[in-house]
Amino acid sequence: MKKIAIFPGDGIGPEIVDAARMVLDAVDQAAGLNLQCTDGLVGGAALDAADDPLPEASLQLAMAADAVILGAVGGPRWDGLPPAKRPEQGLLRLRKNLDLFANLRPAQIFPQLLSASPLRPELVRDVDILVVRELTGDIYFGQPRAAELVDGKRRAYNTMVYDEDEIRRIAHVAFKAAQGRRKQLCSVDKANVLETTRLWREVVTELAAEYPDVQLTHMYVDNAAMQLIRAPAQFDVLLTGNMFGDILSDEASQLTGSIGMLPSASLGEGRGMYEPIHGSAPDIAGQDKANPLATILSVAMMLRHSLGNEAWAQRVEKAVQKVLDEGLRTADIAAAGEAVVGTRAMGHAVVKALQL
Ligand code: IPM
Ligand code: MN
């Protein structure tokens, strides 16, 4: 028996999670996984219910689970709240408390969606990138941080900080991921300006000796942002800190046509958390319009990384390919004039495509 904690969150979160849940339930039954799924509150939903974006009960639920599925957090309703009470804090505290330091964000081209990319097909056809983003350090969590009033003038600051152990453990993940792929690792930094990332480059370079089969390169983050548009197929594994990875993974998602297609896995020593990389899309929430495929593909990643079930992970991924082959499109991935299906219908179609 494995315990799964499910946090639907805010905005489109509950809808995409329900579609993913249909797929997970179907796999659970067919494969006899004997999953025990329990829902919890995080983000704005938790603020509304318990005045805390990550109530103690939610943290305990996640800690007791083998894996966590999360929809999305945030929305305009909670935007005015003080920093500690923003919905995003629920997600960040989950990542930090569970020590989920390694965030894997694959950006793969679905050939069926080539025309949905804003870039020319010949540029993106061969794109298959894995962003390995450090997730529990950097300017996201660095101390000191504050917004204050000094002599009647507002000022605010954050601290970008990494120690060598933090860099080493995420770099190991990236090197190993590269070994299982095309053996090319590009580490992203701003070593021409920032001490933090000079250390980053130093430590990553030291580790390269342990992975002689991997070809390591380094790239400044501004250049990486440009190269992702200019020649994205050159990248295999991209290793980044927390902040640069946040930005570059959104950019990479656009190569594939829609951010609605990109799953993620956040891993530590033990349990993992699985979420789409997109946000809560409050503008389309509750309308059965959202694309659930990123969340469904996150379930596949959970089967692979937390449940040790590569065979079923692949079956779910193939089912997603099949519905795309069949021409099913949510609004975000539909070409002009193409028929559009809703969130629920897309979930049902994937279950059907599993051919159980
Ligand atoms: C992401 C999101 C989060 C982040 C937000 C919601 C805190 O943008 O998962 O990429 O910045 O990490
Ligand atoms: Mn982001």
Side-chain angles (χ1 to χ4, degrees), residues 73 88 91-92 95 105 133 140 242 246 250 275 277:
V73 296
E88 290 81 1
L91 176 57
L92 295 175
R95 289 173 178 170
R105 298 190 159 188
R133 171 190 177 196
Y140 270 57
N242 203 346
D246 179 45
D250 265 36
E275 44 171 329
I277 84 155

Side-chain angles (χ1 to χ4, degrees), residues 60-72:
Q60 291 309 324
L61 180 66
M63 303 271 265
D66 296 286
V68 177
I69 294 174
L70 191 137

Side-chain angles (χ1 to χ4, degrees), residues 21-91:
R21 201 192 301 263
M22 290 194 261
V23 175
L24 184 60
D25 287 348
V27 170
D28 184 13
Q29 286 207 348
L33 300 181
N34 194 17
L35 301 179
Q36 188 192 329
C37 300
T38 311
D39 276 33
L41 294 172
V42 73
L47 277 164
D48 288 350
D51 198 32
D52 183 346
L54 184 67
E56 188 55 29
S58 296
L59 180 59
Q60 291 309 324
L61 180 66
M63 303 271 265
D66 296 286
V68 177
I69 294 174
L70 191 137
V73 296
R77 271 183 49 215
W78 305 283
D79 270 352
L81 294 171
K85 291 228 159 138
R86 288 190 59 101
E88 290 81 1
Q89 279 304 313
L91 176 57

Side-chain angles (χ1 to χ4, degrees), residues 83-119:
K85 291 228 159 138
R86 288 190 59 101
E88 290 81 1
Q89 279 304 313
L91 176 57
L92 295 175
R93 280 164 53 197
L94 260 182
R95 289 173 178 170
K96 190 73 175 172
N97 278 291
L98 302 181
D99 201 19
L100 304 171
F101 67 89
N103 187 212
L104 310 184
R105 298 190 159 188
Q108 251 173 300
I109 289 294
F110 291 86
Q112 305 90 335
L113 302 179
L114 258 187
S115 61
S117 174
L119 297 190

